[in-house]
């Protein structure tokens, strides 16, 4: 089969690659004009024809008309593990975002190819940390202390940052295993650098007993992260100044509103929400945790959910015997997850059927090596 090379192969992790990603081929007008029913029918037909040669992985934030074709659905950890366990499929189509497809590529075998139906499906939080800034911060931090600093990257990060972490004895974490990874990291050194999501870092470390005044936010736009060397020397946790714009849409005011409106309401949020929101909520955890907690609650339970809107809509449809609403009155949509439209899925399948493998996500081996270390370390720690 002809393999269309990706820009990632040419210049992994650079701004140049990201800019090029923005002009990669897309399905075009012919696919945009197809009737929705026809798109779904044609995907189903193609899916059947490929059989076990193909696996489709779908993140919980995907729209229903994409998730219905997923062989496996899950949170970012479950999907990384599914990719690592999959050895039969020649092609893994990732209905999710770019860092997830990269992780899948790193964890699958050499003969397997990972396809992201729209290469513009990135993650705005992942883009808040880049290798140059992290390397500079690392050197600046090291100059302030003799403590061992253990780097932890949230899986929402580019492959070259996972490589950076792997080569320095650190590990990747996800929202479902952050507590285990952070506990492990404290057994390896006195200080942690946690990036790119300051909120997941703060929420996790606080739950493990780290006081708020033992954590500082490292602003990569400022010299020495915006801190005096003594402040860095005293801190136990250095939190990168990054966030998820979707989860920043949830507030304590919304929680107060729901509690006043429905005294029986339970509030459940993703740990990418702010510290104040997580503290005010009844429960916080990964997308899998949110789904399982609501599923295990008795019928009639009322929930206000602080996570992406496609998942909230799906939960409501799946469990009509419970009251399920978004915590926010506004549409908290992950616009990049939303880029994976059914017509994009059909297009990559049509191209595959024609012998062309488009939108391959391929991490160069010089980067994959260290990144694999940090991902495998996470899997070993999590169990
Ligand atoms: P999960 O690991 O909980 O699926 O979260 C991924 C993510 O990007 C949330 O914004
Ligand atoms: Fe990234 Fe936030 Fe979208 Fe998750 S919800 S993929 S963190 S932008």
């Amino acid at each position: 089969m002809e393999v269309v090379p990706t820009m990632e192969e040419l210049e992994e992790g650079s701004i140049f690659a990201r800019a090029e990603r923005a002009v990669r081929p897309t399905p075009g007008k012919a696919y945009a004009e197809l009737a929705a029913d026809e798109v779904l029918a044609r995907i189903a037909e193609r899916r059947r024809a490929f059989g076990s040669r193909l696996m489709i992985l779908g993140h919980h934030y995907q729209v229903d008309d994409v998730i219905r074709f997923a062989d496996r659905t899950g949170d970012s950890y479950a999907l990384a593990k599914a990719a690592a366990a999959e050895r039969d499929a020649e092609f893994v189509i990732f209905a999710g975002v770019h860092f997830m497809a990269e992780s899948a590529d790193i964890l699958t075998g050499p003969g397997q190819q990972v396809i992201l139906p729209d290469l513009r499906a990135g993650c705005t939080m992942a883009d808040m940390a880049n290798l140059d800034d992290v390397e500079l911060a690392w050197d600046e931090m090291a100059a302030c202390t003799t403590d061992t600093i253990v780097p932890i990257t949230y899986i929402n990060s580019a492959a070259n940052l996972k490589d950076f972490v792997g080569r320095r004895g650190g590990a990747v974490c996800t929202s479902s295993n952050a507590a285990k990874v952070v506990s492990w990291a404290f057994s390896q050194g006195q200080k942690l650098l946690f990036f790119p999501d300051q909120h997941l870092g703060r929420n996790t470390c606080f739950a493990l007993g780290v006081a708020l005044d033992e954590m500082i936010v490292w602003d990569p736009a400022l010299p020495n992260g915006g801190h005096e060397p003594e402040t860095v020397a005293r801190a136990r946790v250095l939190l990168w100044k990054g966030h998820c714009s979707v989860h920043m849409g949830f507030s304590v005011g919304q929680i107060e509103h729901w509690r006043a409106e429905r005294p029986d309401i339970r509030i459940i949020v993703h740990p990418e929400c702010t510290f104040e929101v997580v503290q005010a909520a009844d429960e916080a955890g990964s997308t899998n945790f949110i789904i399982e907690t609501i599923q295990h609650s008795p019928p009639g339970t009322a929930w206000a959910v602080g996570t992406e809107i496609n998942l909230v809509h799906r939960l409501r449809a799946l469990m009509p015997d419970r009251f399920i609403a978004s915590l926010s009155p506004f549409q908290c949509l992950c616009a990049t997850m939303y880029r994976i439209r059914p017509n994009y899925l059909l297009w990559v399948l049509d191209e595959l059927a024609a012998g062309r493998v488009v939108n391959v996500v391929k991490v160069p081996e010089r980067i994959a090596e260290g990144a694999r270390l940090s991902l495998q370390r996470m899997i070993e720690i999590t169990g």
Side-chain angles (χ1 to χ4, degrees), residues 6 8-12 87 102-112 159-160 162-164 167 361-376:
T6 63
E8 284 80 353
E9 283 171 314
L10 303 177
E11 191 117 0
E12 180 60 31
R87 283 292 172 264
E102 278 188 332
S103 298
D105 174 55
I106 292 163
L107 293 167
T108 47
Q112 298 175 293
N160 58 1
K162 295 184 176 82
D163 173 56
F164 172 94
R167 291 182 195 278
V361 172
K362 182 86 202 106
V363 178
E365 192 48 35
R366 71 190 153 77
I367 290 170
E369 213 179 286
R372 199 172 291 119
L373 275 179
S374 61
L375 281 162
Q376 282 171 346

Side-chain angles (χ1 to χ4, degrees), residues 59-61 74-77 99-100 154 156 174-176 244 247 270 272 286-288 337:
H59 186 267
H60 295 307
Y61 292 165
D75 62 9
S76 49
Y77 183 67
F99 72 82
M100 296 178 179
Y154 190 21
N156 299 39
T174 71
S175 56
S176 67
C244 165
H247 289 91
H270 197 277
E272 289 173 11
S286 75
T287 51
N288 266 10
M337 284 274 181

